Every structure is written in C-alpha cells, then in structure tokens.
Amino acid sequence: MSLHLIIGDKLLSSWSLRAALALELTGAPYTEELVKLGKPDTRERLLAHSPTAKVPLLKTARGTVADSLAIAEYLAEQFPSEQLWPTDIAARAQARSACAQMHSGFFAMRNHMPFNLSHDAPLNPVPPEVKVDVERMLALWAECRAVATEPGPYLFGRVSLADAFFAPIAVRLRTYQVKLPADDEAYVETVYQWPAFKAWQKAGLEELQS
C-alpha cells in the first residue's frame, strides 16, 4: 500500500503529529513531505495536493484523505489486524467519543496555549476558560481510563489512536507547566517516552537549527 503523508512543521503542527503517530501505529512504511507553514508559497503548495490547503493530508492509492480524524479512521479500516482502536466495544466507543470531543472543542486551550515543542514557561495569568478546558480534559482522560480493559500505561492500557490524538494535549500541559494529578502526570510522561513521539519531538526541535 502506497502511503504519503503531507505535514506541517513538526515543531508547531499538532494536527500533523496526530496523523504521523496514527501512521506509526500501523507499522506500515510511508513517505513524508513537510510543507513549511506561514510561508508565501504555503497555500499554493498545499493546494497542489488538496483543496483544503491544510495539513495533514494522506495520499493513498485510492485518493487523498484530509483531516487527522478521517486519516485515523481510514488507517483503522485498512489495518484491522493492528487494532488501532481499543478492542472492547465500550472502550472503543469511548475512545472515538473522546477523540471527537477533542477534535471539535477545547478552543480556549488551543488559543491560549499554542502547540510548540520548544515552549517551556507557564501561562500567567491563566484565563478562566483555559482552566475549564484543562479540568474537562483531565476528566475526559479519567473517563477513558475508567473503561480500559487492557493493561498498560496509555489511556486505554495498550497504545491506541486515542493516544495519537491526545499527544499534543500532553505537550501543551507539559510545556506550559500545568500542575497535574499524579495519574495525569504519569500519562504525560508515558506520551513523552513513546518512541514514535520521541522521534517526532527530536525532529521538531531540530527545526530550530534549520
């Protein structure tokens, strides 16, 4: 299967990170093309691949898949043996629900805590709407852990697409130095020790030197 992932800057593109981690979960080979964001030719370069002019984009033998959530579902269908979603029905439903909630919400956190792998300073002051988002996020993670049926340190025990989607949130919480309960701090550390994430983080930080 031919898979070509088009992404933005690894340092800054949280949505690209989600798609890349999802692809890593499949174990399938793929090629990668990075389009620098915020450049005069960015939109033109992206329009050459898709009318959305946004990243990530996954080019397949059957066409182009836009949007990280659509990419995740496509990969789950194409690689059923890899069990990218939790195997338990209730856990799988919760994982999809959690990812959809994250995908369509948490705007205060996004706006006030932009994704940047090199950031390392607390938000001060913390707007009330950000506090609400953080509290809801931690509650959502607890809801995921509550229905997990498989052993392991990830949201549903075994690593899954849910972790690909929440990895950028873990980055925001750590880089903005948000104080977390022990369970949530442990999960953030789990994400940071995930080999696929570590490889992305290394490449993202190296962009600062280019």
Side-chain angles (χ1 to χ4, degrees):
M1 181 183 294
S2 174
L3 296 170
H4 182 61
L5 182 66
I6 300 167
I7 60 173
D9 308 58
K10 293 186 176 183
L11 183 73
L12 305 172
S13 183
S14 60
W15 295 106
S16 297
L17 170 59
R18 291 181 174 98
L21 291 177
L23 261 171
E24 289 292 331
L25 286 175
T26 70
Y30 67 94
T31 53
E32 180 183 278
E33 178 178 345
L34 191 151
V35 176
K36 294 290 289 184
L37 303 178
K39 301 297 182 182
D41 64 343
T42 297
R43 181 172 174 80
E44 181 182 358
R45 290 183 64 189
L46 291 175
L47 284 173
H49 298 289
S50 167
T52 68
K54 295 179 179 179
V55 290
L57 297 164
L58 181 64
K59 302 189 83 170
T60 78
R62 298 178 177 86
T64 299
V65 185
D67 189 277
S68 57
L69 190 55
I71 290 170
E73 290 290 9
Y74 175 83
L75 294 173
E77 288 183 351
Q78 293 299 309
F79 299 92
S81 64
E82 300 305 321
Q83 300 178 341
L84 303 190
W85 290 115
T87 55
D88 177 77
I89 293 175
R92 187 163 64 250
Q94 174 62 29
R96 283 192 162 109
S97 174
C99 290
Q101 289 177 61
M102 190 286 308
H103 188 268
S104 61
F106 298 96
F107 296 111
M109 187 183 293
R110 299 183 203 277
N111 292 336
H112 292 280
M113 302 167 66
F115 181 88
N116 185 331
L117 287 165
S118 68
H119 185 84
D120 187 23
L123 191 62
N124 188 24
V126 181
E129 61 270 28
V130 172
K131 293 180 180 179
V132 170
D133 267 8
V134 170
E135 289 172 1
R136 175 57 196 142
M137 180 61 66
L138 301 185
L140 189 56
W141 286 1
E143 291 165 14
C144 294
R145 288 192 291 262
V147 297
T149 61
E150 301 177 68
Y154 292 90
L155 281 179
F156 291 89
R158 177 179 56 84
V159 66
S160 73
L161 286 170
D163 304 295
F165 269 76
F166 286 102
I169 300 297
V171 170
R172 285 183 167 95
L173 294 174
R174 174 158 291 187
T175 58
Y176 287 88
Q177 301 178 9
V178 178
K179 296 188 186 308
L180 300 172
D183 285 349
D184 300 302
E185 185 60 50
Y187 175 62
V188 170
E189 180 62 19
T190 292
V191 170
Y192 267 76
Q193 294 305 316
W194 183 3
F197 172 81
K198 291 178 74 172
W200 178 282
Q201 180 192 32
K202 181 176 183 293
L205 293 176
E206 287 173 352
E207 291 176 359
L208 291 169
Q209 310 303 321
S210 61

